[in-house]
Amino acid sequence: MASFSDPPHSQTQYIPAAFVWDERFTTRQEKSYRTIDNRIDRGRDLVEAFLEPTSILDPPQYSYAALRSFIASANRAALTDRNLLPRKNIILDDRRDPTVGTAAAGTHSVRDWTSDFYQKQPPPGDYQWHHRLTRKEATRQNISPTQAERRTVYVADLSPTIALAIMLETAPRQTKIVRDFLQRHVVNRGYFAVSMTAGFAFELHLPYFALRKRAVRSNDIRKIRQSRPASATSRAGTGGPGDFVHQAQISILITGIDEWIWTALCCVDTYFETDDQTEEMYYLNLDAPTGAENTCDKPIWNPREYFLVALANRVHQVTLEWAIIICEFESRLSKFFWTKDRFFYDTDTLNAGLKDDKNLNRTKEYTWSTHILRTFYNSLTNLIEAWESFRASELRLLFSNLSEPMRLRWQVRTIRIEQDLSELRYFRRSLLQKIEMFDSLKDGLVNASALSESQVATSQGQNITLLTWLTVMYLPPSLVTGIYGMSMVSPTASWSIYAGVIVLMVSLTALGLVGVQRSYNHRKERSV
């Protein structure tokens, strides 16, 4: 059976070199280490220098407008006074592999990932610095910037000021990677990618919606995510009073020069949570970017494995959030359309669904529900399509040049990811079915309303026709009465003459009307 790292079609299919892990990353690239501490020229405007095009082919209009607007409200004074940085939502973990040069770990420049040091009991690392940036005295505390080699940064609710600080600490060779990452996080885009330019970079973005019960709405003060009361969707909405639907995203970027020197940046939206998850993970010493896979004293040193673990755990988290939304939505819809005793539509249900009041409340319900369903559907579709594109190409890069034990162990993660994606595909199909059902109900309501209006118009036309006939029939008597009311007719004239004239005029009028009607019917038959 083909593995998840195999090409999707043939075992002998040509594999581009871009999808094979570059062996140079397995050894120390010491000549490139000197570029780590390079920073953007402080004499220039930081934002403009960070966002300027890197290629002459870049369109001038492509200026990262969303990211530029987001960081416009940043506190620039924090760039010179670090005490002004919002620190409560950041966990920083620095450490260095202590097995350098040991026989068990391998040579000085190459590590054996299949050794017991990394498989069974990974070393906690030297020069450890695990801190939650909450106090003004949060400094590097007896650690040199050159001693730490593996760094993980967890940021809850990325703020404009923190984004500006990340830009300031980015080496020029990684500017494009980091700014693209921040842009995708701000615009709430689903995305997976692996690149090997200017070192390596693993990137994932997982958009989703979270349903939470709240007394009041938890608005995103950054204004990049939306929240709305679930009850705004009326009877077809997700949840009852006090339930809110929140837009959210999980973004992770792992970038480095080689498998020794790398950094993981994780940005998670938690503005709608009541519990301080950052504090809990910090005091339990959990590895936050991977979703608390391990404690920090049992780190994952291989950047590829770290990315795969984070990917599997975060995809599972997002799948559970989607499951809550979809299941609650389907529960509300089932109560709206049928009861447990009536699964199929009956006459009463259909009649109720095809009637609207003068305020068009039912039409508004159908339209609003369709809008919400399409919003969920589009978000899921973007995420699934991004994963399918990544799986068909770049995912195999994670599995290239692996030993068989590592390949088998890592495939357990990919199987779990595929299971979660299968759930997401089911949710998407369910949403599409609900959209089609609402569209049919809305079309049925519109057609029923149009038919009802047509029936009313036809009835009114028939009444007008009857009124017209009566009017025409009364015209002759009115004419004769007018003539006999004139002084030119002798008052002694016989009433029989008056009656005869009336009968004659009415007969002529009736014959004229019959002739006109026959002529109209004849023309109508000829046109058909």
Side-chain angles (χ1 to χ4, degrees):
M1 187 177 83
S3 67
F4 286 103
S5 58
D6 293 331
H9 301 297
S10 171
Q11 295 291 331
T12 60
Q13 182 180 5
Y14 169 69
I15 301 178
F19 296 147
V20 178
W21 184 249
D22 196 333
E23 287 292 337
R24 64 189 172 91
F25 295 137
T26 63
T27 60
R28 284 190 176 273
Q29 304 297 309
E30 296 182 0
K31 293 183 179 180
S32 300
Y33 290 175
R34 69 187 67 178
T35 64
I36 296 176
D37 296 325
N38 294 341
R39 296 295 181 266
I40 297 176
D41 184 4
R42 297 297 180 91
R44 304 178 57 191
D45 181 84
L46 175 61
V47 176
E48 295 302 324
F50 188 80
L51 299 181
E52 70 178 355
T54 55
S55 171
I56 194 174
L57 299 179
D58 292 344
Q61 291 81 5
Y62 190 73
S63 58
Y64 298 89
L67 180 58
R68 187 185 299 272
S69 174
F70 175 66
I71 61 180
S73 59
N75 182 5
R76 299 204 175 201
L79 300 181
T80 55
D81 185 359
R82 298 301 178 86
N83 293 329
L84 298 178
L85 284 175
R87 301 167 181 267
K88 67 177 183 177
N89 293 334
I90 305 174
I91 298 177
L92 179 67
D93 185 85
D94 283 351
R95 57 190 69 233
R96 190 183 72 173
D97 189 351
T99 60
V100 175
T102 63
T107 65
H108 174 75
S109 59
V110 180
R111 287 182 285 192
D112 181 10
W113 296 120
T114 60
S115 66
D116 290 342
F117 276 87
Y118 299 107
Q119 295 298 314
K120 296 181 179 179
Q121 188 65 31
D126 293 337
Y127 304 102
Q128 301 178 29
W129 194 76
H130 181 73
H131 204 86
R132 184 189 181 204
L133 302 183
T134 56
R135 299 183 296 273
K136 293 183 178 180
E137 64 270 22
T139 60
R140 295 195 61 84
Q141 293 180 355
N142 303 323
I143 183 169
S144 169
T146 60
Q147 290 176 321
E149 296 182 337
R150 172 193 177 275
R151 166 176 291 180
T152 64
V153 182
Y154 174 85
V155 181
D157 299 327
L158 177 71
S159 67
T161 304
I162 291 298
L164 201 63
I166 293 173
M167 293 161 50
L168 180 64
E169 296 299 324
T170 300
R173 62 181 290 169
Q174 296 178 330
T175 295
K176 186 177 188 307
I177 295 174
V178 175
R179 75 185 179 196
D180 287 345
F181 170 80
L182 295 176
Q183 169 83 359
R184 295 184 185 107
H185 179 74
V186 169
V187 300
N188 199 229
R189 176 185 174 185
Y191 186 78
F192 304 88
V194 177
S195 65
M196 293 186 294
T197 58
F200 63 83
F202 307 106
E203 186 174 354
L204 69 88
H205 298 270
L206 302 170
Y208 65 97
F209 289 88
L211 180 67
R212 296 292 186 273
K213 293 184 179 295
R214 295 287 181 273
V216 295
R217 181 188 302 189
S218 301
N219 291 321
D220 183 15
I221 60 175
R222 304 167 300 167
K223 300 182 187 293
I224 61 174
R225 305 287 184 255
Q226 296 183 0
S227 298
R228 65 177 56 196
S231 58
T233 58
S234 188
R235 291 162 58 186
T238 55
D243 291 346
F244 293 86
V245 178
H246 308 276
Q247 191 180 36
Q249 172 128 343
I250 299 172
S251 301
I252 297 178
L253 173 67
I254 300 176
T255 179
I257 296 176
D258 52 39
E259 293 181 355
W260 304 78
I261 307 293
W262 55 274
T263 300
L265 172 61
C266 177
C267 300
V268 179
D269 291 333
T270 62
Y271 66 93
F272 48 85
E273 301 289 3
T274 55
D275 300 330
D276 190 349
Q277 297 179 345
T278 307
E279 181 179 7
E280 180 181 3
M281 286 188 290
Y282 172 71
Y283 285 110
L284 293 178
N285 197 32
L286 299 175
D287 186 68
T290 60
E293 169 74 12
N294 292 317
T295 57
C296 289
D297 56 3
K298 296 181 180 179
I300 299 174
W301 294 98
N302 189 327
R304 284 192 285 174
E305 183 175 9
Y306 192 90
F307 175 75
L308 187 60
V309 170
L311 175 62
N313 290 340
R314 293 301 184 175
V315 167
H316 186 66
Q317 173 189 350
V318 168
T319 302
L320 294 180
E321 293 286 1
W322 276 112
I324 294 173
I325 286 281
I326 301 302
C327 291
E328 182 66 22
F329 200 92
E330 289 185 342
S331 174
R332 297 285 167 170
L333 289 180
S334 65
K335 296 177 182 178
F336 181 59
F337 288 110
W338 50 69
T339 67
K340 63 181 181 180
D341 299 326
R342 296 185 305 178
F343 183 78
F344 296 101
Y345 290 118
D346 56 16
T347 305
D348 295 336
T349 305
L350 286 176
N351 290 339
L354 295 178
K355 294 181 181 179
D356 207 348
D357 56 25
K358 61 179 181 180
N359 295 324
L360 303 178
N361 287 326
R362 190 173 294 275
T363 300
K364 294 176 182 177
E365 287 179 354
Y366 289 166
T367 303
W368 178 254
S369 299
T370 303
H371 167 72
I372 293 298
L373 285 167
R374 289 194 182 278
T375 300
F376 292 159
Y377 177 81
N378 292 338
S379 180
L380 265 179
T381 297
N382 293 336
L383 176 59
I384 293 172
E385 289 181 351
W387 166 255
E388 290 175 347
S389 176
F390 176 74
R391 183 189 185 279
S393 56
E394 297 163 85
L395 179 62
R396 71 188 68 179
L397 191 149
L398 297 175
F399 289 86
S400 64
N401 303 329
L402 289 180
S403 64
E404 190 61 23
M406 291 183 64
R407 182 187 299 272
L408 294 176
R409 189 175 73 253
W410 289 14
Q411 282 183 356
V412 174
R413 302 284 184 178
T414 57
I415 291 174
R416 180 184 177 188
I417 295 173
E418 282 297 325
Q419 290 173 342
D420 288 331
L421 264 295
S422 178
E423 282 291 299
L424 294 179
R425 294 186 187 99
Y426 167 77
F427 296 151
R428 182 177 63 170
R429 290 194 301 271
S430 178
L431 287 174
L432 182 59
Q433 293 169 358
K434 297 299 185 298
I435 291 173
E436 293 175 349
M437 181 173 60
F438 266 107
D439 284 340
S440 64
L441 287 173
K442 187 168 60 174
D443 292 342
L445 181 61
V446 171
N447 293 336
S449 299
L451 181 60
S452 177
E453 292 176 359
S454 176
Q455 291 175 343
V456 172
T458 301
S459 177
Q460 291 177 345
Q462 293 174 348
N463 294 335
I464 292 175
T465 301
L466 178 60
L467 180 62
T468 302
W469 277 89
L470 292 175
T471 302
V472 171
M473 294 302 295
Y474 273 99
L475 283 177
S478 299
L479 176 62
V480 174
T481 301
I483 295 175
Y484 273 84
M486 296 179 183
S487 58
M488 61 182 180
V489 179
S490 174
T492 60
S494 175
W495 282 97
S496 59
I497 299 176
Y498 174 72
V501 173
I502 290 178
V503 171
L504 176 64
M505 295 297 293
V506 171
S507 300
L508 292 175
T509 302
L511 290 174
L513 289 175
V514 171
V516 171
Q517 184 66 35
R518 288 183 176 180
S519 177
Y520 171 76
N521 292 337
H522 181 66
R523 288 196 305 269
K524 185 176 180 181
E525 291 176 356
R526 292 184 60 183
S527 63
V528 174

